[in-house]
Amino acid sequence: MAPALRFSTGPGRWVLAATVLGSALASIDATVVGIALPAIGRDFGVGLAALQWVVTAYTLTLAGLLLVAGSLGDRYGRKRYFLIGVVWFALASALCGLAPNAPTLIAARALQGVGAALLTPGSLAILEASFVPEDRGRAIGAWSGLSGVATAVGPFLGGWLVQAVSWRLIFAINLPVAVLVVVLALRHVPESRDPGTVGARIDIVGGLLVTLGLVGLTYGLIEGPSSGWRSGSVLTALVGGVLLLVAFVRWEAATPAPMLPLSLFAARQFTATNVVTFVMYGALGGVLFLLPIQLQQVSGYSALQAGISLLPLTLMMLALSARSGALAARIGPRLQMSVGPCLVGLGIGLLAAVNGSGSYVTEVLPAVLVLGLGLAATVAPLTSTALSSAPAAHAGMASAVNNDVARAASLIAVAVLPALAGITGSAYLHPAEFSAGFHRASLISAALCVLSGLLAAALIRNPVRAKATEAEEAAPQHSCGLDAPPRHQGG
């Protein structure tokens, strides 16, 4: 069915509302859980490894199944799988909120990730498939801005719920939102499919191989410091995870319908962009996992104060990303992709000074402002480069791969950075010990961000003629934000 919706009409606005609220479920949840980690740890009496699993269990299933879920929606109906994902996410959220212990919560978080993988690709794909081409940019721009506002509100709301009532409410709040999304989608969202996928095979094997491989690798990295790197279970998990990931690559190269076309990486610019993405987002994800704990356990912030501490970062991204994308379209992405990560590294390095001895304005805000400036400079050109360096027919897949690379990098960093920084066991309950580890982790992450900037300077090339087009200037509409959904092609 040809796209028929107009942005200025009632039906178009209802579709926009449904997709914004649906994607907000996944993006807000990913940010507010970090604020709740100290409360979860105290409630269940668990160490840092369990808190790492609370975060990584969600990211594991989301990253592993994202591309497969997008293919399912393209073939069998984007609205159908969007709705399945929303309902699945809501049920898993209820289980998270009712979890009697840490293992149940971790399992429920993994189920949440499955739901997020099902709903995330459909959100943007529905917009692209539903709106007429001349209104598609406006619709996606509005989706991007409203999603950014929702992401900004998330930590504030989550921090207030944790402080005023209980961490369990950060999951319960998903339920009424999910009901509203289902009602809106059933009444207003048109169904769409990609005709090119008719008869195509879904790469379920590839999805299972990469997910199980990441599970094994993550288990080994998280449990290694406490169980011992020579432990049988740790060695089995690490070796098994690596072998499964190697098998995934071999399978993708051999199967006729891969979830990850390896031919994309034949383009040097695409490969370089994803290398920069992996290093920078890994460093960022690792330190942002530890920062809410540092603020609450060491600096004495309440959950609400910790939740809003990074709000200026989100506001800067909203205010500057469009300008950053337009600048990169005029001068090429290399300068911003080189300088931006170095600014991110400087901001993270400034976070190393956070130890509770100063105020928010003197201790945290300068780091947040520099970090926000660096991200605003980097994210739009990075994502637009990932799209433009792949063939036009694979632009949606290129964006999805770049997004998944960022998630996988964050997943691995959350597993390995605490151990590298000497933060293990119950260290987060001992302010001086955790603060020393956070200082080391910040410096490690800062160095990695600077490295990603140097890699960009060495590997990224500007187009021979950087001509600004409407699509390029709207680059932040397709940007891979801290937890933005990937872009898939409409059909």
Side-chain angles (χ1 to χ4, degrees), residues 281-377:
Y281 274 88
L284 188 65
V287 80
L288 290 183
F289 164 72
L290 297 171
L291 180 60
I293 303 175
Q294 174 78 1
L295 292 176
Q296 293 178 70
Q297 300 295 97
V298 177
S299 297
Y301 283 38
S302 66
L304 177 59
Q305 291 170 328
I308 63 177
S309 63
L310 294 182
L311 184 59
L313 186 156
T314 304
L315 297 178
M316 290 180 71
M317 291 283 290
L318 289 172
L320 300 178
S321 286
R323 294 176 176 84
S324 176
L327 178 63
R330 288 195 298 271
I331 68 174
R334 186 184 182 194
L335 178 62
Q336 286 162 258
M337 287 180 63
S338 302
V339 175
C342 294
L343 287 174
V344 173
L346 177 59
I348 292 176
L350 292 174
L351 287 175
V354 175
N355 57 19
S357 61
S359 67
Y360 172 78
V361 172
T362 61
E363 197 173 69
V364 181
L365 184 60
V368 171
L369 293 177
V370 175
L371 184 59
L373 183 62
L375 285 173

Side-chain angles (χ1 to χ4, degrees), residues 287 290-291 294 298 348-355 417-418 420-423 431-447:
V287 80
L290 297 171
L291 180 60
Q294 174 78 1
V298 177
I348 292 176
L350 292 174
L351 287 175
V354 175
N355 57 19
L417 183 62
L420 286 178
I423 304 174
E433 183 180 350
F434 186 89
S435 186
F438 179 78
H439 176 85
R440 289 189 291 270
S442 298
L443 296 180
I444 292 170
S445 295

Side-chain angles (χ1 to χ4, degrees), residues 162-343:
V162 171
Q163 181 177 326
V165 188
S166 168
W167 61 264
R168 297 180 184 276
L169 281 191
I170 67 173
F171 298 109
I173 199 69
N174 293 332
L175 302 182
V177 177
V179 171
L180 178 59
V181 172
V182 169
V183 171
L184 290 177
L186 287 174
R187 293 189 62 181
H188 300 288
V189 173
E191 184 60 279
S192 63
R193 296 174 176 82
D194 183 355
T197 63
V198 175
R201 294 172 57 188
I202 303 297
D203 188 13
I204 301 296
V205 173
L208 290 175
L209 285 173
V210 71
T211 303
L212 293 175
L214 288 172
V215 168
L217 193 61
T218 304
Y219 177 87
L221 292 173
I222 290 178
E223 299 297 328
S226 57
S227 300
W229 295 105
R230 296 184 179 180
S231 163
S233 60
V234 170
L235 285 175
T236 300
L238 289 173
V239 173
V242 171
L243 290 177
L244 284 168
L245 292 176
V246 170
F248 165 71
V249 174
R250 292 177 65 88
W251 173 264
E252 296 302 288
T255 186
M259 62 176 271
L260 175 60
L262 298 182
S263 59
L264 287 173
F265 293 94
R268 183 172 179 264
Q269 185 93 323
F270 182 78
T271 301
T273 301
N274 281 285
V275 169
V276 173
T277 298
F278 186 86
V279 177
M280 190 187 81
Y281 274 88
L284 188 65
V287 80
L288 290 183
F289 164 72
L290 297 171
L291 180 60
I293 303 175
Q294 174 78 1
L295 292 176
Q296 293 178 70
Q297 300 295 97
V298 177
S299 297
Y301 283 38
S302 66
L304 177 59
Q305 291 170 328
I308 63 177
S309 63
L310 294 182
L311 184 59
L313 186 156
T314 304
L315 297 178
M316 290 180 71
M317 291 283 290
L318 289 172
L320 300 178
S321 286
R323 294 176 176 84
S324 176
L327 178 63
R330 288 195 298 271
I331 68 174
R334 186 184 182 194
L335 178 62
Q336 286 162 258
M337 287 180 63
S338 302
V339 175
C342 294
L343 287 174

